Amino acid sequence: MEQQLINEGLADISAEKDATLKSMKLASLCSALWAERGVELVVVGGSAIEFLTAGAYASGDLDMCLATGATLPVRLRQEIMGRLGAKGGPRNWQVAGTFLDLLGPVESFARTPYRQLNGPYGSVKVMKPEDLLVERVLVSVYPERNDTALECAKILIGVALRGQVEVNWSEVERVANLPEYRTLEECKALVGQVAHELKIRSPFDPN
């Protein structure tokens, strides 16, 4: 990608007032730049939930992992992120007024595909909602109650129950029951609670 195009993108991102759209644009530009080096990135954590819920949950930063599985040399990180005018490193940067964390290989247990969202500079790969949901439920209860994670999980469940985000509930159940999480009962209970609040039938309701 020509540096002039990168600079124009950065100017657009810096001028963007909508926080979610600002992060989406940065994820799109960053993904496109790394893709030229054969590296595929995926948006994870609260950032992924922010994108999937169209800003109903606000994470405040941008977290990305490597979908290609390999680790990145520190020198290469600094070189590529330097083209974005990034400050900091080698894993945490500030780019165009947004904090961006470029982490290691992505951790996913769900058998569903990653989500692909259209961005102005190329597509953005987003973490699977089944993984995100189970992970947030775990963080909300262990090692202690975490109200921020709980609210985040409830927002994601809400948009899923309303059909705004497609979720494979059988896969949620399978992942939640894995030894890595062991939060099946907590997941079922929280989904049931949100479903009751929305007056929507829970996908875990046996009746």
Side-chain angles (χ1 to χ4, degrees):
M1 184 180 294
E2 295 294 332
Q3 190 61 46
Q4 180 178 346
L5 294 178
I6 295 174
N7 293 341
E8 291 173 356
L10 291 172
D12 175 43
I13 295 167
S14 296
E16 180 59 57
K17 302 301 183 184
D18 183 278
T20 301
L21 188 54
K22 187 183 189 77
S23 291
M24 170 60 75
K25 288 180 175 181
L26 179 56
S28 177
L29 182 59
C30 191
S31 295
L33 198 56
W34 277 101
E36 293 181 345
R37 296 297 188 100
V39 177
E40 195 171 20
L41 301 181
V42 55
V43 179
V44 299
S47 306
I49 295 175
E50 179 175 359
F51 288 177
L52 292 176
T53 62
Y57 172 78
S59 67
D61 60 4
L62 177 60
D63 298 326
M64 306 187 79
C65 281
L66 310 178
T68 42
T71 57
L72 299 177
V74 173
R75 177 69 181 225
L76 181 60
R77 289 171 180 260
Q78 298 298 102
E79 176 187 336
I80 298 300
M81 297 306 293
R83 296 189 65 193
L84 292 171
K87 299 177 181 178
R91 297 169 187 84
N92 315 104
W93 287 273
Q94 187 172 9
V95 185
T98 298
F99 289 100
L100 185 154
D101 293 341
L102 183 57
L103 309 172
V106 65
E107 297 179 7
S108 173
F109 295 93
R111 295 167 178 165
T112 50
Y114 291 105
R115 301 304 168 91
Q116 295 282 351
L117 302 180
N118 293 325
Y121 312 106
S123 65
V124 176
K125 187 184 291 292
V126 180
M127 189 62 169
K128 309 165 188 180
E130 296 82 7
D131 281 311
L132 293 167
L133 175 54
V134 175
E135 180 183 79
R136 287 291 143 163
V137 171
L138 174 63
V139 175
S140 75
V141 293
Y142 294 112
E144 60 185 11
R145 180 183 172 94
N146 184 320
D147 289 333
T148 300
L150 178 63
E151 184 61 25
C152 181
K154 291 177 69 175
I155 291 172
L156 180 56
I157 291 169
V159 298
L161 290 176
R162 288 190 292 265
Q164 296 167 298
V165 173
E166 183 180 351
V167 169
N168 185 322
W169 294 105
S170 296
E171 194 62 5
V172 169
E173 185 172 3
R174 186 190 69 81
V175 173
N177 203 37
L178 291 174
E180 288 84 358
Y181 287 109
R182 292 174 291 168
T183 56
L184 180 56
E185 294 308 313
E186 291 88 348
C187 279
K188 287 185 174 181
L190 189 57
V191 171
Q193 176 187 333
V194 176
H196 177 74
E197 293 171 355
L198 296 175
K199 295 180 172 56
I200 298 175
R201 181 177 177 271
S202 169
F204 297 126
D205 188 346
N207 300 320

